[in-house]
Amino acid sequence: MFKGSYVALVTPFKKDGTIDENKVRELVNYHIENGTSGISPCGTTGESPTLTYEEHKKMIKIVVEEAKGRIHILAGAGSNSTREAIEFTKFAKEVGADSVLSVCPYYNKPTQEGIYAHYEAISKEVDIPIVVYNVPGRSGVNILPETIAKLAELKNIKGVKEAGGSVDQVCEIIDLCGDKIDVLSGDDALTLPMLSVGAKGVVSVTANFMAKEVSDMIKYFENGEIKKAQELHKKLFRVHKTMFIETNPVPVKATMEMLGKISGDVRLPLVRLKDKNKEILTKVLKNVEII
């Protein structure tokens, strides 16, 4: 069900700190025009921790409205409160999202049993395809492959965004789950290695401004044009790494500001990219002829 390049969409802000709706709509059309498979608003890259509930819902609604069914919408609907995750998931379905991305509960560090119970509760409450998001660096806990395999038995758990940084873990998930669940890379730099062991795509930060390149790399791999996929991976690799020179989404927003796409403003406690890191970023982007 899930394959290709899904963009982890940034949330553009105006100078007064409010959501820039016009820029959101422009970004949706940019991705439709450049081969992106799906748009994922309100994830970590979308600064979901600092969006109000109303803003979170507004972002999903704007993206769905502007997409008009032309592209898959994988709406961020996670929370470390199961009750809130259910609320966001219900809303996403109500406004017409195609699926939801549901992050592992963060900060409260549930056990594997608690993680399973969290997703089971969401699955029972809302009939919509769910992609489990495993990101130990943010959540403080790793969803083990055995837990993913158990979740894959639930009728609407259809995918996992794996951002644990381990190709071994992806291999274990695929070995345990077979074709019951689609694996998407949650780490741009590991997308091609993960594809090589059976992953189907990526939820990408870099695709915010290199949508065609990220999408093409996956298409080349799918078509057996491995050398072309490798060449694009090589071009993209240093860009991917630079997107995490500071906390995501600070570097990607700085990049998009350089390209004239959006303001580089982020919400506290995040701050703008440091000057010394902006110099590094600029050099990398020049090397790949993005600027």
Side-chain angles (χ1 to χ4, degrees):
M1 179 176 182
F2 296 96
K3 69 175 185 175
S5 174
Y6 292 76
V7 62
L9 193 71
V10 295
T11 299
F13 297 125
K14 297 179 182 177
K15 290 300 180 183
D16 64 2
T18 59
I19 292 173
D20 192 332
E21 181 174 337
N22 290 335
K23 290 297 183 183
V24 176
R25 294 182 185 277
E26 287 176 13
L27 293 176
V28 170
N29 286 294
Y30 164 77
H31 287 289
I32 291 169
E33 292 162 7
N34 284 276
T36 301
S37 300
I39 298 175
S40 187
C42 299
T44 306
T45 309
E47 295 177 77
S48 58
T50 53
L51 297 180
T52 66
Y53 293 154
E54 291 75 18
E55 288 174 326
H56 191 121
K57 291 177 178 180
K58 179 181 180 180
M59 268 296 292
I60 294 172
K61 193 169 187 290
I62 293 168
V63 170
V64 171
E65 284 179 353
E66 189 61 30
K68 300 181 180 71
R70 295 175 292 164
I71 191 170
H72 188 106
I73 306 302
L74 173 63
S79 173
N80 64 338
S81 162
T82 304
R83 185 183 300 173
E84 289 173 7
I86 289 170
E87 179 185 344
F88 282 139
T89 304
K90 284 181 176 178
F91 179 83
K93 182 178 181 180
E94 286 168 7
V95 298
D98 300 288
S99 58
V100 296
L101 180 66
S102 193
V103 68
C104 176
Y106 41 86
Y107 188 74
N108 37 19
K109 296 179 73 172
T111 62
Q112 296 299 305
E113 291 78 11
I115 292 168
Y116 178 83
H118 171 80
Y119 287 111
E120 182 184 39
I122 300 168
S123 178
K124 285 181 176 178
E125 286 287 335
V126 194
D127 186 15
I128 189 172
I130 297 168
V131 175
V132 173
Y133 180 15
N134 184 37
V135 56
R138 294 271 187 175
S139 66
V141 62
N142 182 36
I143 307 178
L144 297 177
E146 292 79 8
T147 303
I148 296 294
K150 190 177 176 184
L151 288 170
E153 299 298 326
L154 300 174
K155 67 175 183 177
N156 50 345
I157 303 292
K158 299 296 185 181
V160 56
K161 176 185 176 183
E162 180 52 54
S166 169
V167 177
D168 278 1
Q169 178 144 314
V170 171
C171 291
E172 288 188 44
I173 291 169
I174 292 170
D175 182 55
L176 291 171
C177 299
D179 59 2
K180 292 178 182 176
I181 199 165
D182 294 327
V183 178
L184 299 173
S185 171
D187 184 337
D188 271 300
L190 288 179
T191 300
L192 188 58
M194 287 189 182
L195 289 173
S196 74
V197 298
K200 299 293 181 63
V202 63
V203 182
S204 171
V205 174
T206 304
N208 273 286
F209 59 93
M210 294 184 78
K212 187 176 188 303
E213 290 88 343
V214 175
S215 177
D216 283 352
M217 186 190 74
I218 296 170
K219 288 175 182 175
Y220 285 140
F221 181 86
E222 289 174 344
N223 293 336
E225 298 178 86
I226 305 303
K227 187 171 182 180
K228 286 184 178 180
Q230 290 172 334
E231 288 170 354
L232 263 180
H233 169 76
K234 184 177 180 180
K235 176 181 179 178
L236 288 163
F237 179 76
R238 188 53 57 193
V239 180
H240 293 328
K241 301 303 285 187
T242 311
M243 287 305 100
F244 294 88
I245 197 169
E246 286 185 27
T247 303
N248 178 45
V250 174
V252 67
K253 279 194 156 182
T255 301
M256 294 173 78
E257 184 172 66
M258 290 183 204
L259 297 173
K261 289 183 176 292
I262 63 167
S263 162
D265 290 332
V266 289
R267 281 188 175 170
L268 290 171
L270 299 182
V271 294
R272 278 176 165 266
L273 193 68
K274 295 175 185 175
D275 287 342
K276 66 176 183 178
N277 287 332
K278 190 172 182 179
E279 291 175 9
I280 295 169
L281 174 62
T282 301
K283 183 178 180 180
V284 169
L285 295 175
K286 284 181 176 179
N287 284 343
V288 295
E289 300 180 338
I290 294 298
I291 59 173

